[in-house]
Amino acid sequence: MCLLSWVGLANGQGFGKFKKTITLERKLPAVVRLPGDTFNVKVTASEAKNAAIAGELRAVVETELGRYNARLLLSPKNPATVISLRILNVDVPQPVPITSSTTPLSYGKKNTASEPPRPDAYKVTGRFEVAYQARTPSGKFIDANNIDARFAQEYNSQGTKIDEGVDAVKKGFSRIKHLGKSSDDEAEEPQSVEDVEQILMSKVTALIAARLVSTNETVEIPLARGSALDDANKYAEAQQWSKWAETLETMQPWPDEKEDAYRFYNLGVAYEALGYAAQTPDDAKRDLEDAAADYGKATEMNPAEKRFLPAQDRIELALEHYEKLASPPPPAPKNGSKAKSRKASKSTGTGTSEL
């Protein structure tokens, strides 16, 4: 499932002021298989100040698990799976001005005539760290991980995002919607520390749920633009992922690596779309590995482009899920021969696609 959104036109290779996005249906299988249909969630906090957040996190995790798997039953007395979460750190500092010498802006504070002028722009950051474990009642480990959700976004004086920023999660989604709010709501200025905490809690919850149950989310991904790239992007509009990838692969590369990086980025998006549409875990893993290689190449060629980073985090998470389901790799070829790779010619952009 795909929706392509047009917002104006742009010249040159890049994302530009006028954006084009593609919305993919992102299906992720659970990382682990639960031993039964009953569960219980326990949440503690390393610091007393986070005790209230602990209670809220427990309720949100319970709701999220039930939303994706209606067969799951909350059973505190007789759970097949005990989910233990410990909040290690919740840190949401005050917004910091980034364009003027005025004093830091406080959440919800209105400036008066006697106060310094409001900064032209400011940065909002936050971090939410949780230690997560899933065990049987006897204590046998089912799954465990450290979840580290981060928020970093720049806003102008009207509270509108300056750009997409680095609203990324380590091994996380590109854009995880705030529970109960739309993506448009997230575009507004957070009015309090609690608002940022809620966004971070939603990210933590989504990452935990995705490990335990199969999830199906929509993710909005920005596309690189330019005259040649826009022509190729028409195949994305038609959901012709293989044709889109083939066109990008055989396209004449730009002499400047920083420019050509955007071709590789879009190629990564094409293979990511193929991965989510694949019919088997092996095919999905193969396509997602190709996407990861293209995203990595784009970052290597243009490390200053911050919008490449969420794609790498997103694809890393997807690969972790599909690697659990994919078949073991075949034995290494004998007699020193090398297995043929469909990505062998990508560095030049002049090879033949094997899609």
Side-chain angles (χ1 to χ4, degrees):
M1 180 178 180
C2 162
L3 175 64
L4 197 64
S5 173
W6 290 81
V7 190
L9 298 174
N11 294 320
Q13 283 59 248
F15 296 99
K17 181 178 179 181
F18 301 97
K19 302 178 181 66
K20 180 190 294 184
T21 62
I22 189 170
T23 302
L24 298 178
E25 185 177 350
R26 187 170 190 264
K27 300 177 181 179
L28 292 181
V31 173
V32 296
R33 185 186 295 269
L34 295 180
D37 292 335
T38 57
F39 73 99
N40 189 30
V41 179
K42 299 179 179 179
V43 184
T44 59
S46 297
E47 300 179 74
K49 67 177 184 177
N50 293 325
I53 297 176
E56 187 172 356
L57 179 61
R58 177 183 57 78
V60 174
V61 170
E62 290 172 352
T63 301
E64 191 77 347
L65 291 175
R67 182 165 77 94
Y68 285 112
N69 188 341
R71 294 194 304 272
L72 288 178
L73 298 175
L74 183 63
S75 177
K77 294 184 178 180
N78 188 31
T81 303
V82 178
I83 302 165
S84 299
L85 309 174
R86 184 165 183 81
I87 300 174
L88 304 177
N89 177 45
V90 180
D91 181 28
V92 183
Q94 290 294 327
V96 176
I98 58 176
T99 60
S100 70
S101 59
T102 59
T103 56
L105 177 71
S106 295
Y107 285 109
K109 183 177 180 180
K110 303 297 183 181
N111 291 90
T112 65
S114 61
E115 293 176 328
R118 182 172 175 140
D120 295 330
Y122 56 95
K123 188 172 185 178
V124 176
T125 60
R127 187 174 186 180
F128 200 128
E129 297 176 272
V130 174
Y132 144 77
Q133 296 179 353
R135 300 191 188 201
T136 64
S138 64
K140 181 180 178 181
F141 271 103
I142 301 170
D143 189 33
N145 202 3
N146 290 320
I147 308 296
D148 186 356
R150 304 191 188 200
F151 180 91
Q153 182 61 59
E154 296 176 2
Y155 297 87
N156 62 22
S157 58
Q158 286 74 45
T160 303
K161 287 183 181 181
I162 294 175
D163 55 32
E164 292 296 325
V166 193
D167 185 6
V169 184
K170 185 178 181 182
K171 296 186 178 181
F173 298 114
S174 172
R175 180 178 293 177
I176 302 175
K177 294 181 179 179
H178 186 173
L179 295 180
K181 293 189 177 183
S182 68
S183 57
D184 289 337
D185 290 324
E186 281 195 30
E188 299 299 324
E189 173 188 354
Q191 296 298 308
S192 66
V193 170
E194 288 74 19
D195 284 352
V196 180
E197 289 177 351
Q198 288 295 317
I199 293 172
L200 290 168
M201 186 183 301
S202 297
K203 294 177 183 289
V204 168
T205 302
L207 291 169
I208 293 170
R211 299 188 68 84
L212 296 169
V213 293
S214 295
T215 57
N216 189 340
E217 297 280 359
T218 57
V219 54
E220 188 177 355
I221 303 173
L223 297 185
R225 304 198 58 190
S227 58
L229 293 179
D230 279 346
D231 286 341
N233 288 343
K234 294 175 182 178
Y235 292 113
E237 184 177 11
Q239 302 183 42
Q240 296 179 13
W241 311 127
S242 295
K243 183 65 176 178
W244 188 27
E246 181 181 5
T247 301
L248 291 166
E249 285 179 330
T250 58
M251 184 183 296
Q252 183 67 33
W254 280 269
D256 185 347
E257 278 198 344
K258 291 183 179 180
E259 292 281 308
D260 202 37
Y262 294 98
R263 177 174 66 91
F264 277 96
Y265 168 82
N266 275 9
L267 192 54
V269 179
Y271 276 112
E272 185 175 358
L274 281 167
Y276 298 149
Q279 298 300 309
T280 69
D282 287 331
D283 288 342
K285 178 175 176 289
R286 181 196 64 190
D287 290 326
L288 294 175
E289 285 175 342
D290 288 348
D294 288 319
Y295 287 145
K297 184 68 173 178
T299 302
E300 179 184 336
M301 296 169 74
N302 190 352
E305 179 52 78
K306 60 186 177 182
R307 292 200 192 182
F308 293 163
L309 300 179
Q312 288 188 304
D313 289 337
R314 182 177 64 245
I315 210 68
E316 186 178 352
L317 176 67
L319 272 173
E320 181 181 3
H321 284 249
Y322 280 99
E323 283 173 350
K324 298 286 185 178
L325 297 180
S327 303
K334 297 180 180 180
N335 302 323
S337 61
K338 294 183 179 180
K340 187 176 182 180
S341 171
R342 68 177 181 178
K343 302 181 73 64
S345 60
K346 277 193 174 184
S347 60
T348 64
T350 59
T352 301
S353 168
E354 294 182 21
L355 288 174

